[in-house]
Amino acid sequence: MNPNDSTASATVAPFVPSKFAQFYALTKPRVVQLIVFCALIGMVLAVPGVPGLAEVKLALVACAGIWLVAGAAAAFNCLVEQQIDAKMKRTAWRATAQGQISNPLTLTFAAALGGLGSLILYIWVNPLTMWLTFATFVGYAVVYTVILKPLTPQNIVIGGASGAMPPVLGWAAMTGNVSPEALILFLIIFLWTPPHFWALALYRVEDYRKSGLPMLPVTHGNEFTRLQVFLYTLVLFAACMLPFVFRMSGWLYLMAAVVLSFGFSWYGWRLWRNYSDALARKTFRFSLIHLSVLFAALLLDHYLV
């Protein structure tokens, strides 16, 4: 037995994901899954009753195109923010932050995804959906990432318009237009975004401070941000009632919306009055549950009521 074996076995080489895994991670799959889910809700609500085979095929193609463009925006975001990502614990593992994937290769990857997704939407869905999706890409990857995020603590509020677009994209994919119902779905996500991200920023404030990003807890302090989170949950509560008020949904959705919105507001109130990092984490996690279950309730209400 080699006496050096024990020393060799004690030194473990750092794990390096495969290139496929690294590129896949650049698309921020969890975020993109939520985007596609919200777009799918818009598609379903735009079609009265049970969709036919042709509509199912159209929805699947639209989801694929939206997924590709959203993945391209995420990859471009990783490229632009690689220096910032390297300073933050929750993002330092990304391949762009560690220099495992070169900038030209990341840009090529993002361009390929975005180009393919746009082509699919233009040819097999409709031009309106393609242009709206492209505008969303520009809004997130350029206006938000390059301009707003490093300049203003209201970056999440203004940039949230891009993140709120998926239901509008889904609606446009199935109908070829944007109706008031689609804009109500847009409004819900738009108002949900600030308390969702500010809850995260509260317990990640040191990361944001080191990165130099002017997130609200860094520029205006913990207490002011907590108050903003609470106030936004109240306004969001009102917005979540609109699908019922405008007869997009029935009592099933209303009950779910009241329970979920009350829960989010309760977390916001507790966060404002008695802050802790643990509570901020719980608030952030509940915000994800809030949006996912709220839209799932819209879906169930559409078919079961």
Side-chain angles (χ1 to χ4, degrees), residues 4-13:
N4 294 324
D5 283 349
S6 59
T7 303
S9 61
T11 305
V12 180

Side-chain angles (χ1 to χ4, degrees), residues 13-95:
F15 172 74
V16 178
S18 66
K19 281 298 180 185
F20 175 83
Q22 290 176 352
F23 278 113
Y24 181 64
L26 290 183
T27 66
K28 301 183 181 180
R30 290 184 181 180
V31 175
V32 171
Q33 286 167 12
L34 185 59
I35 289 172
V36 173
F37 173 69
C38 293
L40 182 61
I41 295 299
M43 296 175 198
V44 170
L45 295 179
V47 178
V50 179
L53 181 59
E55 291 166 326
V56 171
K57 289 181 178 179
L58 179 60
L60 291 175
V61 172
C63 283
I66 292 170
W67 187 94
L68 288 167
V69 178
F76 186 80
N77 173 268
C78 290
L79 173 63
V80 173
E81 296 191 338
Q82 58 181 310
Q83 300 301 323
I84 295 173
D85 286 345
K87 299 175 183 177
M88 301 176 65
K89 291 181 181 179
R90 72 183 184 90
T91 56
W93 58 271
R94 288 175 180 163

